[in-house]
Amino acid sequence: MSPWFKSCQRCFLRSSVLHGGVQCLSAVTGRRAELQLHSAVSRCCSTVQGQVRVRFAPSPTGFLHLGGLRTALYNYIFAKKYGGSFILRLEDTDQSRLVPGAAESIEDMLEWAGIPPDESPRQGGTAGPYLQSQRLDLYSQTAQQLVQSGHAYYCFCSSQRLELLKKEALRTGQTPRYDNRCRHLRLDQVQDKLAQGASHVIRFRLEAGVEPFQDLIFGWNRHEVAQVEGDPVVIKADGFPTYHLANIVDDHYMKISHVLRGSEWLISTSKHLLMYRALGWKPPTFGHLPLLMNKDGSKLSKRQGDIFIQSFQKDGILPEALLDITTNCGSGFNTHRIGRRIDELISEFNPSKITTHSALLDLEKLPEFNRIHLQQQIEDEEQCSLLVKDLQGQIQQVHTTEIQDKEVLHEDYIRRVLHLRKGHISSLKELVSPLYSYLWVRPSFSSQQVAALTAEAQHIASLVLRLIEERGEELSVDRLGKDLKNMAKQTKATKYREVMKLLRLALSGLQQGPSVAEMMVSLGPAEISHRFQKLLQLSDNN
């Protein structure tokens, strides 16, 4: 038995206590059980082993947020795991709610995150166009096909009537639903209204007898939608399709093999399967991903400004850290450890390990994820070069007019700083904060600050200059640490602690930060000499 058969068999058996009122597998006897098992297993295996095509289909009514990124990431990983294609399709049919720039930004953010689509509005592809607003003829043709086959009908109910139905339902404590009134219109009545140019929508005719389907994550499901819902609109009065029609039409014509989407759509899947059946199309395999939630179990809200991907990018969060934390808090992987890159996420991905439990995201841990990924990038020569260029830009932006020596922008200098600080900083932005300004701008300090520490400033400055001259270019943190302790013993009345405070003041103008030895190694012999010559001159003037 192949490993995939075993995996699918386990998944099938584990999920065989069926949802939505479907009979448990243990109650199905002999040959029937065998046939059901074989059918489910062969379908799951064949679709994964065949051409895998998955899609991420956000609406550009807003910018990409963490929940959307996670859905896109699982689709991307699934596609790459099985040698398939990852498609970006933008569902822009709700024209009244479109946000300017959101469509372009969604694709920008996927590329920034390192999960670029293989086919998209920008990339193009054989199954395009990838904007739903450019596929209206296809939806209209499909809707007409449903009308002609008796699976859909014209509805002429006014918005006022629908609002009254809703109010009455709420008044009586019922769930609002359309009463299917126009389903019963005669053909001549419909033709008369159409001839008069009456405003109308097209509704899909829901029927009882929904077949169960096996969700890759939630197992067997069935929702008798006709019992709880009115017939849904598939073409709106403005000619645009609703999600329910557009998504199945696009998935069919784009040859989508697996639909991996949020679990909020699970209850709508039976409705979609009725449409597939009405059109005579084979549906894709469905897998509904558990929700991504705050660590306290509350729902992620778009009103939380910090959940948008652009916000993380602006704050200096590495895309690798963002992908890592959104998978680390959930399921679907053989291991859970900090520091996984996209290639490792793909290799360790195991769809059978995705659970139905919500993923609880603790964003307070994000700096730690970022610190580890930043350290990995610093240790990789090629990625470190990219970090150097990024930091060069940030330094020039923050300290434009203050830089006295352009040497601080040289690659070798910045690379040395990065290697000394790796493991200590969580983002590059920290290095352009006031705490690290001494690395790029020569500090200022007063004679009063010096005098408050020691009367031997001139002597100590001379000792440092001599030490640096002796050591030359060969400076190391460990060796300098020992040298400074020995040097401090050559003072007459100044204790080691005050000596270090003086050195720190001369080097950075601050009384906090990395060790004095690390500061000196970062700055290098020439700059150390320059700063202690300044201390000598300040002492001479007093």
Side-chain angles (χ1 to χ4, degrees), residues 286-315:
F286 289 93
H288 287 85
L289 301 167
L291 295 177
L292 183 65
M293 309 189 83
N294 292 311
K295 67 175 181 178
D296 61 1
S298 62
K299 190 175 179 180
L300 282 179
S301 170
K302 293 179 184 179
R303 287 186 289 273
Q304 294 172 237
D306 58 354
I307 72 163
F308 289 97
I309 307 307
Q310 284 177 317
S311 174
F312 293 106
Q313 181 191 37
K314 184 180 177 182
D315 289 342

Side-chain angles (χ1 to χ4, degrees), residues 317-327 340 366-374 377:
I317 299 299
L318 296 171
E320 293 82 0
L322 213 50
L323 300 186
D324 195 5
I325 197 170
T326 53
T327 51
R340 295 176 300 177
L366 186 54
E368 176 64 7
F369 278 81
N370 213 55
R371 182 186 68 80
I372 289 171
H373 280 278
L374 183 57
Q377 291 194 7

Side-chain angles (χ1 to χ4, degrees), residues 467-532:
L467 173 61
I468 295 304
E469 189 177 351
E470 289 172 358
R471 290 284 168 259
E473 295 295 322
E474 298 300 318
L475 297 180
S476 73
V477 174
D478 290 343
R479 180 67 185 271
L480 262 180
K482 294 174 183 176
D483 288 340
L484 292 175
K485 283 183 179 179
N486 291 329
M487 187 198 76
K489 294 175 183 176
Q490 300 176 47
T491 61
K492 296 175 183 177
T494 310
K495 295 180 180 179
Y496 173 75
R497 184 179 175 185
E498 274 62 45
V499 171
M500 290 300 105
K501 284 184 178 180
L502 177 68
L503 300 192
R504 187 180 289 278
L505 181 68
L507 291 168
S508 69
L510 303 170
Q511 284 303 328
Q512 57 184 337
S515 69
V516 170
E518 185 188 316
M519 283 182 170
M520 294 174 75
V521 174
S522 296
L523 294 168
E527 185 61 25
I528 295 169
S529 298
H530 187 281
R531 296 189 186 193
F532 279 92

Side-chain angles (χ1 to χ4, degrees), residues 230-265:
D231 293 335
V233 174
V234 290
I235 295 289
K236 294 178 286 186
D238 61 3
F240 280 78
T242 60
Y243 172 84
H244 300 297
L245 178 68
N247 95 89
I248 69 160
V249 170
D250 290 340
D251 287 345
H252 173 73
Y253 284 105
M254 291 182 178
K255 296 181 170 61
I256 300 301
S257 64
H258 295 75
V259 171
L260 304 179
R261 60 188 178 186
S263 59
E264 67 270 24
W265 292 109

Side-chain angles (χ1 to χ4, degrees), residues 318-364:
L318 296 171
E320 293 82 0
L322 213 50
L323 300 186
D324 195 5
I325 197 170
T326 53
T327 51
N328 195 280
C329 72
S331 55
F333 297 86
N334 291 324
T335 65
H336 281 85
R337 56 187 173 81
I338 299 180
R340 295 176 300 177
R341 296 179 294 273
I342 188 65
D343 55 333
E344 294 169 306
L345 291 174
I346 292 168
S347 66
E348 294 178 16
F349 181 59
N350 185 346
S352 69
K353 287 188 176 292
I354 301 177
T355 69
T356 59
H357 303 300
S358 296
L360 302 181
L361 179 67
D362 185 358
L363 284 176
E364 291 178 6

Side-chain angles (χ1 to χ4, degrees), residues 323-459:
L323 300 186
D324 195 5
I325 197 170
T326 53
T327 51
N328 195 280
C329 72
S331 55
F333 297 86
N334 291 324
T335 65
H336 281 85
R337 56 187 173 81
I338 299 180
R340 295 176 300 177
R341 296 179 294 273
I342 188 65
D343 55 333
E344 294 169 306
L345 291 174
I346 292 168
S347 66
E348 294 178 16
F349 181 59
N350 185 346
S352 69
K353 287 188 176 292
I354 301 177
T355 69
T356 59
H357 303 300
S358 296
L360 302 181
L361 179 67
D362 185 358
L363 284 176
E364 291 178 6
K365 294 180 179 177
L366 186 54
E368 176 64 7
F369 278 81
N370 213 55
R371 182 186 68 80
I372 289 171
H373 280 278
L374 183 57
Q375 181 171 344
Q376 289 178 350
Q377 291 194 7
I378 291 171
E379 290 168 352
D380 181 282
E381 189 171 342
E382 187 176 332
Q383 288 183 313
C384 188
S385 295
L386 297 175
L387 293 176
V388 168
K389 290 179 182 176
D390 187 351
L391 191 50
Q392 283 172 331
Q394 291 191 44
I395 295 163
Q396 287 175 301
Q397 186 176 5
V398 174
H399 299 292
T400 312
T401 59
E402 304 167 287
I403 297 173
Q404 299 101 331
D405 188 348
K406 296 296 182 183
E407 289 288 325
V408 299
L409 294 173
H410 284 191
E411 180 176 352
D412 290 346
Y413 177 74
I414 294 178
R415 189 181 289 268
R416 183 166 75 239
V417 168
L418 287 173
H419 277 276
L420 286 166
R421 282 283 84 194
K422 71 180 180 185
H424 297 283
I425 56 171
S426 295
S427 73
L428 290 186
K429 283 188 74 173
E430 288 182 42
L431 291 177
V432 291
S433 69
L435 182 62
Y436 291 103
S437 62
Y438 70 90
L439 290 166
W440 328 113
V441 179
R442 287 169 181 156
S444 59
F445 51 89
S446 66
S447 56
Q448 289 86 353
Q449 287 176 287
V450 172
L453 292 171
T454 178
E456 297 181 88
Q458 191 171 24
H459 176 52

Side-chain angles (χ1 to χ4, degrees), residues 48-233:
V48 171
Q49 290 177 344
Q51 169 115 31
V52 168
R53 287 175 63 80
V54 297
R55 49 74 164 176
F56 174 52
S59 171
T61 53
F63 295 93
L64 186 64
H65 56 84
L66 270 179
L69 178 70
R70 178 171 170 271
T71 301
L73 175 59
Y74 273 81
N75 276 278
Y76 178 89
I77 291 172
F78 190 90
K80 300 311 167 186
K81 180 81 173 184
Y82 302 111
S85 298
F86 170 54
I87 294 134
L88 172 66
R89 182 176 76 224
L90 294 175
E91 301 191 342
D92 63 341
T93 55
D94 192 346
Q95 296 285 296
S96 63
R97 295 176 57 226
L98 296 183
V99 173
E104 296 78 10
S105 175
I106 288 170
E107 194 155 358
D108 287 343
M109 290 299 98
L110 291 178
E111 291 175 0
W112 171 80
I115 51 172
D118 300 300
E119 301 172 29
S120 69
R122 185 177 296 167
Q123 295 292 336
T126 57
Y130 297 91
L131 285 169
Q132 285 188 336
S133 58
Q134 297 174 7
R135 301 169 66 86
L136 298 183
D137 287 346
L138 195 55
Y139 309 132
S140 178
Q141 291 167 18
T142 306
Q144 288 303 318
Q145 182 182 336
L146 288 170
V147 169
Q148 289 163 15
S149 66
H151 290 100
Y153 59 91
Y154 293 101
C155 173
F156 302 93
C157 290
S158 66
S159 57
Q160 292 87 347
R161 180 177 187 273
L162 296 176
E163 185 62 28
L164 285 173
L165 281 176
K166 180 180 178 181
K167 286 181 178 178
E168 180 61 19
L170 293 172
R171 187 185 68 80
T172 57
Q174 297 178 321
T175 302
R177 56 183 290 187
Y178 178 56
D179 61 0
N180 299 346
R181 176 184 180 180
C182 289
R183 176 197 274 225
H184 308 292
L185 290 175
R186 298 189 311 272
L187 180 61
D188 61 306
Q189 291 177 305
V190 172
Q191 290 175 338
D192 285 346
K193 287 180 179 294
L194 291 176
Q196 294 167 16
S199 176
H200 62 273
V201 299
I202 297 178
R203 291 183 182 271
F204 179 73
R205 190 186 298 265
L206 292 178
E207 302 291 354
V210 173
E211 294 178 5
F213 68 96
Q214 189 194 24
D215 189 84
L216 288 177
I217 298 160
F218 283 81
W220 287 99
N221 272 263
R222 180 178 64 187
H223 299 280
E224 282 289 0
V225 285
Q227 294 179 6
V228 294
E229 294 184 36
D231 293 335
V233 174

